[in-house]
Amino acid sequence: QVQLAESGGGLVQAGGSLRLSCAASGRTFSTYTMGWFRQAPGKEREFLGDISGGAGTTYYVDSVKGRFTISRDNAKNTVYLQMNSLKPEDTAVYYCAAKWGYYIDSRSDYNYWGQGTQVTVSS
């Protein structure tokens, strides 16, 4: 069983930055692929990118590529989402998710989810 807890959300002006953290329980964190998703009001949940277990290979969707960076610190059981050049359309609840194994561009079949953290970008 893995428990995930996001933090770091808040209100930021357009063009600003935020770093979200996702702390995980468990002793085998390094073997999990970690994904980041977001859901804006009235919209479907959107996959943003992921970082594989093991080598930590990353993948990003086009809408965030070059602005968002996913990283992980396996010693701290934490994955991060650094968000730069934020836009009002980035406003959403952001979620991290985990699945065991070594995947990249993996958009489904996550077994564990955090509770989400709100990010609001003002214009």
Side-chain angles (χ1 to χ4, degrees), residues 5-6 17 33-34 64 67 72 78 100 107 113 118-119:
E6 302 95 337
S17 299
T33 292
M34 303 298 296
V64 305
R67 299 191 300 125
R72 66 191 300 161
T78 301
W100 187 87
R107 308 184 184 213
W113 292 83
Q118 176 71 46
V119 172

Side-chain angles (χ1 to χ4, degrees), residues 5-48:
E6 302 95 337
S7 61
L11 174 65
V12 63
Q13 289 188 332
S17 299
L18 280 176
R19 188 178 79 158
L20 306 184
S21 299
C22 173
S25 65
R27 296 176 293 177
T28 58
F29 175 74
S30 63
T31 63
Y32 281 78
T33 292
M34 303 298 296
W36 282 99
F37 296 76
R38 68 185 178 189
Q39 188 166 21
K43 294 188 176 181
E44 294 187 352
R45 186 171 60 200
E46 177 187 14
F47 171 75
L48 302 177

Side-chain angles (χ1 to χ4, degrees), residues 4-113:
L4 304 175
E6 302 95 337
S7 61
L11 174 65
V12 63
Q13 289 188 332
S17 299
L18 280 176
R19 188 178 79 158
L20 306 184
S21 299
C22 173
S25 65
R27 296 176 293 177
T28 58
F29 175 74
S30 63
T31 63
Y32 281 78
T33 292
M34 303 298 296
W36 282 99
F37 296 76
R38 68 185 178 189
Q39 188 166 21
K43 294 188 176 181
E44 294 187 352
R45 186 171 60 200
E46 177 187 14
F47 171 75
L48 302 177
D50 55 10
I51 185 166
S52 68
T57 304
T58 54
Y59 173 86
Y60 305 94
V61 298
D62 287 344
S63 60
V64 305
K65 192 178 297 182
R67 299 191 300 125
F68 291 10
T69 302
I70 299 172
S71 61
R72 66 191 300 161
D73 185 338
N74 291 330
K76 296 183 178 180
N77 277 18
T78 301
V79 63
Y80 303 98
L81 179 66
Q82 176 67 44
M83 305 185 294
N84 299 327
S85 303
L86 283 162
K87 307 174 182 179
E89 51 263 44
D90 294 319
T91 295
V93 178
Y94 283 70
Y95 299 89
C96 64
K99 61 191 296 186
W100 187 87
Y102 308 92
Y103 302 93
I104 196 68
D105 188 13
S106 182
R107 308 184 184 213
S108 62
D109 300 324
Y110 283 85
N111 306 107
Y112 307 103
W113 292 83

